[in-house]
Amino acid sequence: MTGRHRRADNADVADIAASLPESVPRYIILSYKVQRDDGRLNYPLAFVYYIPPQIKPDLAMLYSSTKHELGVRINVTKTIEIQSPDQLTDE
């Protein structure tokens, strides 16, 4: 199994969603802008776990078993699990 890493600075969430394959799971790390009440900007990380329902069970188990450890290692503030590209939105 080979890993595929792609960095997309200033990528639109809709473009990322459109690029998701129908039969292969993906880990996606997003940084998003948050403005605090005092005016300071913060850029926390969100970890998106994309697992389409029609993938092979052994591949689903492999991705599921490493999801938690990866989230801990990259120190994300938010974890989101989606099964369809339509579920990946700006909200």
Side-chain angles (χ1 to χ4, degrees):
M1 180 186 279
T2 60
R4 184 174 146 188
H5 306 279
R6 185 171 49 160
R7 181 181 173 147
D9 292 334
N10 297 318
D12 183 79
V13 173
D15 292 337
I16 295 170
S19 71
L20 293 174
E22 293 182 9
S23 60
V24 181
R26 291 283 188 257
Y27 298 130
I28 304 163
I29 302 168
L30 298 173
S31 176
Y32 56 98
K33 180 179 170 180
V34 175
Q35 186 165 3
R36 296 182 176 197
D37 292 338
D38 62 5
R40 291 184 295 156
L41 294 178
N42 197 6
Y43 295 88
L45 295 177
F47 177 53
V48 179
Y49 172 60
Y50 169 63
I51 186 89
Q54 62 271 24
I55 67 168
K56 295 179 182 179
D58 57 335
L59 187 56
M61 287 178 60
L62 175 66
Y63 267 75
S64 293
S65 67
T66 58
K67 174 182 70 168
H68 176 73
E69 181 67 23
L70 182 58
V72 168
R73 286 183 181 256
I74 60 176
N75 195 27
V76 295
T77 53
K78 187 174 190 179
T79 300
I80 304 161
E81 184 171 328
I82 62 172
Q83 293 185 343
S84 166
D86 297 338
Q87 293 175 303
L88 186 60
T89 66
D90 287 329
E91 299 167 11

